[in-house]
Amino acid sequence: MNGTAPLLEVHGLKKHFPVRRGLFGGARGVVRAVDGVSFSIAPGETLSLVGESGCGKSTVGRSILRLVPPTAGEVWLGGTRIDRLPTPQLRPLRRQMQVVFQDPFSSLNPRLRVRDILAEPLRNFGLARRGRGLDEQLVELLETVRLPADALGRYAHEFSGGQRQRIGIARALAPGAALLICDEAVSALDVSVKAQIVNLLAELQARLGLALLFISHDLAIVEHLTHRVAVMYLGRIVELADRDALFAAPRHPYTRALLSAVPLPDPAAARNRIVLRGDVPSPLNPPPGCHFHTRCPYAFDRCRSEPPALRSFGNDERPHLVACHLDALPDRSAA
Ligand code: SF4
């Protein structure tokens, strides 16, 4: 994807939530859910945002979509800055970025037939054809996600989880999206269905040139479909690299621990599992310095006071960004 102008650019994105005490209490503190996140995605590229529950990855997606207003930073879509854009100007751009949510059981209105679910975004953006033309349009959408035409007359609850997620993808594609934000889009599905939906997303990307922001805690799934990976910890990106570089040689201690927990295809193969001590600290009161120092097996004094900046260890064409004071990780067996 290098050399292609980015479709999505995110610079220093922050989303802080004030926390109040009681109904009339004053501000008690701030949850720094997203605390200065930067990345870009080119057309036809998949960037996966990974990390444990509560690391802020879903809030990044919601901030880009303006489902929650960002606190600071910039979001650019196709060369237009959208993070402060008034709603009337944002509206036509919204059709370019659509979301596929985790739970196909709750994200589709059970009282609507598939025809109405898919026609709604077309009507919202003034894209619906008239009369029988609309049905042709809807059948084309169903074919895109490999569902039969007779699905139009059925209700969402009549479908399996995987089929519902196909409907969710068709709904996201209906307005002609160039960017799909998939927020744990396959997490609720069975293993074999997960693979089918991942294959469908890859096929759609190749056919339509879609950019994908794939938000997931599941590194095993991510490895199959992504071009690059950004690893988040407590609101910050700690490592961002090409997939092959990151999976073959993770440079951040947190990434190494996450990868050590991914099941190997061969159950007999040996892997040194790195078990992190403690839980993820609260984003209401993150540790000073490197947020990861309370769990890092390599922490030293500097880590407790100075936040590490993202540094590049790759070349200019394939940057491998890492936020750690160490220049290299000690041998794996030392962890
Ligand atoms: Fe560990 Fe220090 Fe690197 Fe943070 S900066 S990941 S605490 S070695």
Side-chain angles (χ1 to χ4, degrees), residues 252-253 290 292-293 296 298-300 303 308 323-326:
H252 194 282
C290 174
F292 187 56
H293 83 250
C296 180
Y298 312 112
F300 54 105
C303 308
C324 179
H325 292 312
L326 296 172

Side-chain angles (χ1 to χ4, degrees), residues 13-323:
L13 183 70
K14 294 185 180 181
K15 181 59 196 174
H16 297 172
F17 295 99
V19 177
R20 297 176 192 285
R21 186 172 25 215
L23 197 54
F24 304 105
R28 182 165 62 95
V30 168
V31 172
R32 298 173 189 276
V34 179
D35 206 18
V37 161
S38 303
F39 59 82
S40 64
I41 310 180
E45 184 186 31
T46 300
L47 175 76
S48 292
L49 208 48
V50 304
E52 289 165 288
S53 176
C55 71
K57 56 191 188 301
S58 287
T59 308
V60 170
R62 293 168 65 80
S63 300
I64 292 168
L65 291 159
R66 291 272 300 269
L67 298 176
V68 291
T71 305
E74 298 180 8
V75 179
W76 294 72
L77 183 71
T80 302
R81 185 171 171 187
I82 62 169
D83 52 278
R84 296 276 182 271
L85 213 55
T87 305
Q89 283 98 306
L90 179 66
R91 195 175 152 66
L93 291 169
R94 275 195 191 278
R95 59 173 282 216
Q96 292 184 36
M97 53 176 187
Q98 294 290 310
V99 61
V100 181
F101 289 108
Q102 172 178 5
D103 185 1
F105 292 88
S106 63
S107 65
L108 300 176
N109 186 335
R111 288 191 293 271
L112 293 182
R113 292 181 201 272
V114 171
R115 171 181 281 102
D116 300 312
I117 290 170
L118 297 185
E120 185 185 26
L122 291 170
R123 292 195 178 107
N124 282 347
F125 290 105
L127 300 168
R129 294 181 204 149
R130 293 173 180 227
R132 292 173 62 84
L134 176 59
D135 268 9
E136 286 171 16
Q137 213 174 352
L138 299 177
V139 170
E140 281 168 24
L141 274 171
L142 288 177
E143 285 171 353
T144 304
V145 296
R146 307 273 180 263
L147 284 176
D150 65 10
L152 282 184
R154 293 157 64 193
Y155 291 92
H157 67 80
E158 297 177 51
F159 295 89
S160 67
Q163 288 170 326
R164 285 191 213 200
Q165 203 54 303
R166 286 172 193 268
I167 297 167
I169 293 169
R171 182 179 59 178
L173 293 176
L179 168 70
L180 279 195
I181 296 182
C182 301
D183 188 359
E184 299 281 9
V186 298
S187 302
L189 304 174
D190 292 343
V191 175
S192 63
V193 182
K194 265 184 201 178
Q196 291 168 15
I197 298 297
V198 164
N199 290 341
L200 174 67
L201 287 170
E203 179 196 322
L204 292 172
Q205 181 174 60
R207 187 140 50 96
L208 305 173
L210 293 171
L212 295 181
L213 176 59
F214 195 81
I215 297 167
S216 178
H217 69 279
D218 187 343
L219 279 159
I221 283 288
V222 160
E223 189 173 7
H224 287 294
L225 94 163
T226 203
H227 297 105
R228 290 186 297 141
V229 185
V231 180
M232 280 189 74
Y233 187 80
L234 268 185
R236 297 175 180 166
I237 289 177
V238 297
E239 185 160 6
L240 196 165
D242 283 357
R243 174 193 59 186
D244 292 348
L246 187 124
F247 278 88
R251 298 193 71 118
H252 194 282
Y254 178 60
T255 311
R256 185 189 273 188
L258 282 185
L259 286 179
S260 79
V262 175
L264 292 169
D266 175 4
R271 169 173 275 170
N272 286 338
R273 174 88 192 265
I274 300 167
V275 179
L276 294 173
R277 42 190 176 149
D279 296 322
V280 182
S282 165
L284 185 59
N285 187 24
C290 174
H291 284 350
F292 187 56
H293 83 250
T294 53
R295 304 171 80 195
C296 180
Y298 312 112
F300 54 105
D301 282 351
R302 185 180 172 196
C303 308
R304 297 180 186 93
S305 58
E306 187 183 329
L310 273 175
R311 296 186 289 155
S312 179
F313 288 83
N315 56 43
D316 288 347
E317 294 245 312
R318 323 290 307 173
H320 187 145
L321 302 173
V322 186

